[in-house]
Amino acid sequence: MNPRDHICLALDVFEFDEAKKLVEATSEYIGYFKVGMSFFDKVKSISDMIHANGGKVFLDMKFHDIPNTVSNAAKTATRLGVDIFNIHAIGGTEMMRRTLDSTKEEADNIGGEPPDIYAVTVLTSIDKITLDAELKVRMGLNNYVVYLAGLAKEAGLKGVVCSGHEVKAIKKACGKDFKLIVPGIRPKWMSETDDQKRVFTPERAIKDGADILVVGRPIIMAESHQEAAKRLFHEIDTTF
Ligand code: C5P
């Protein structure tokens, strides 16, 4: 088990050069780099830069549209050579299945590997009350998250993105081979408080069954990006 394969740095910066500095400083310890919507104009150049540094790309665009449209986006993601991308489970199983098929088809066409697809279940900005009173989903937040994870599994996706609080329940329902990407991670050595309220230590998340931890500010805000990445790497290493 290489801890590098279990850490994803969220490249939550705006400039290409800032992203490059982060990748170059940390890729010895970090295997995945998350490229989000703020970089939608630079996905190709950033992906190429990450790959040139030996990293893998997690394209975090959370696609949600009709099956045909998301399938086309999936073909583009496959051509770009990203390693992971995500879609919303509430797009339904037909959308998820057709998206998965498109990545395989396109990968065959170009002679490459299809990216892994993860589903987003319920955004963590939606709380129990909003889900029930506003969105009229009556089955409760946790049940709904596990239900949507089940749909993603049924559609053949690799796994879901979820909070640390949902890891155990989803693993129990979907099995250990269904992979979980978990943000909201705060190492013990990070004393700063920020807008992540219900956070998990890397150790606890991995012990509960998380597969890839998404970490942003603990590394981005650190005095030395490299030292912070190294510390996180060793913390995970001792957990296995
Ligand atoms: O800086 P921090 O470690 O909080 O960054 C976490 C990253 O994970 C950010 O890019 C954020 O958008 C993303 N994320 C999250 N919580 C979710 C889903 C994604 O923090 N539930």
Side-chain angles (χ1 to χ4, degrees):
M1 239 358 138
N2 186 343
R4 212 174 152 264
D5 301 331
H6 300 272
I7 314 174
C8 176
L9 173 59
L11 292 175
D12 290 333
V13 290
F14 284 94
E15 302 299 333
F16 178 88
D17 288 346
E18 286 177 85
K20 188 165 181 256
K21 231 166 90 181
L22 280 165
V23 173
E24 286 174 349
T26 62
S27 54
E28 187 181 347
Y29 303 106
I30 290 178
Y32 289 92
F33 294 89
K34 183 167 87 69
V35 179
M37 292 186 210
S38 64
F39 275 135
F40 73 80
D41 61 336
K42 300 186 185 73
V43 173
K44 167 114 181 70
S45 56
I46 295 209
S47 297
D48 290 348
M49 177 273 290
I50 292 167
H51 286 142
N53 279 280
K56 289 183 176 172
V57 178
F58 168 18
L59 182 67
D60 180 20
M61 298 273 170
K62 301 183 179 69
F63 297 124
H64 182 200
D65 210 312
I66 59 171
N68 190 55
T69 305
V70 179
S71 297
N72 286 337
K75 287 186 182 172
T76 303
T78 307
R79 277 200 299 273
L80 281 170
V82 308
D83 303 278
I84 295 176
F85 71 91
N86 54 7
I87 62 181
H88 273 281
I90 54 168
T93 44
E94 190 201 336
M95 183 266 256
M96 291 191 271
R97 274 201 194 103
R98 282 185 51 188
T99 302
L100 182 63
D101 291 345
S102 291
T103 56
K104 290 179 183 157
E105 225 175 80
E106 196 62 17
D108 279 348
N109 286 341
I110 61 171
E113 283 297 308
D116 291 333
I117 309 175
Y118 285 75
V120 173
T121 55
V122 178
L123 294 170
T124 42
S125 50
I126 306 284
D127 61 15
K128 272 185 220 167
I129 297 166
T130 311
L131 190 74
D132 183 279
E134 188 180 311
L135 300 178
K136 310 292 182 202
V137 175
R138 304 295 193 203
M139 64 196 294
L141 184 58
N142 287 345
N143 288 340
Y144 192 45
V145 166
V146 172
Y147 169 70
L148 290 174
L151 290 188
K153 185 182 175 193
E154 204 183 301
L157 301 198
K158 186 85 173 177
V160 291
V161 183
C162 67
S163 107
H165 299 273
E166 294 148 1
V167 168
K168 281 186 180 168
I170 297 173
K171 283 280 175 178
K172 191 169 169 217
C174 299
K176 71 171 175 36
D177 292 336
F178 190 67
K179 303 291 178 193
L180 305 181
I181 297 182
V182 180
I185 300 296
R186 287 293 174 272
K188 282 194 207 95
W189 40 268
M190 191 194 178
S191 52
E192 272 164 65
T193 50
D194 47 47
D195 62 357
Q196 291 278 21
K197 299 221 163 33
R198 300 165 71 215
V199 294
F200 269 68
T201 62
E203 186 188 26
R204 165 128 189 247
I206 292 281
K207 277 189 176 150
D208 283 356
D211 296 286
I212 299 177
L213 309 182
V214 178
V215 182
R217 285 164 288 182
I219 290 172
I220 294 172
M221 309 294 279
E223 220 164 280
S224 162
H225 306 315
Q226 190 171 40
E227 275 309 307
K230 188 176 173 183
R231 239 172 136 172
L232 182 61
F233 176 99
H234 288 301
E235 206 166 321
I236 292 174
D237 201 19
T238 53
T239 306
F240 289 125

